[in-house]
Amino acid sequence: HPCREHQFYCGGGGTLVTGRDRERKNRRRIMSDVNYNQVISEIKILNLSDQLRLLEEMATLIRKKTGKTKPRSILELQGKGKNIWKGLNVKTYIDEERSSWNG
């Protein structure tokens, strides 16, 4: 594979990423894990009242972030999974389903 010959690996979308970039990304992930674990440790030290207050504040922050996303439509699912039904006799399928209801 040509990417391996040059100390590159292929990232998403066909982009080439150097080994150094990959190391930086891994370091950030590890630091993020360490920070997360530190935060969890600190939260465990809080009394129940402060933990609940923190939980409410975090819920508010998350709601504000998620509220900015555009509402989704059920119509986005139109046509999804249509290959499952390809070549299937609809009447036979419905008859089989209905007969299974009666035991």
Side-chain angles (χ1 to χ4, degrees), residues 31 35 48 59 62 73 82 85 94 99-100 103:
M31 285 302 294
N35 291 339
L48 182 60
I62 292 168
S73 168
K82 66 181 177 183
W85 303 101
I94 291 172
S99 68
S100 73

Side-chain angles (χ1 to χ4, degrees), residues 72-85:
R72 306 293 303 252
S73 168
I74 190 72
L75 296 176
E76 293 176 48
L77 299 174
Q78 184 175 4
K80 303 287 184 200
K82 66 181 177 183
N83 291 334
I84 295 170
W85 303 101

Side-chain angles (χ1 to χ4, degrees), residues 45-61:
I45 295 170
L46 295 173
N47 63 43
L48 182 60
S49 158
D50 288 337
Q51 287 178 351
L52 290 170
R53 193 175 93 211
L54 176 62
L55 183 60
E56 289 172 4
E57 288 181 35
M58 291 304 304
T60 300
L61 286 171

Side-chain angles (χ1 to χ4, degrees), residues 35-49:
N35 291 339
Y36 176 84
N37 291 331
Q38 284 176 313
V39 169
I40 294 299
S41 295
E42 293 292 324
I43 290 170
K44 288 178 180 178
I45 295 170
L46 295 173
N47 63 43
L48 182 60
S49 158

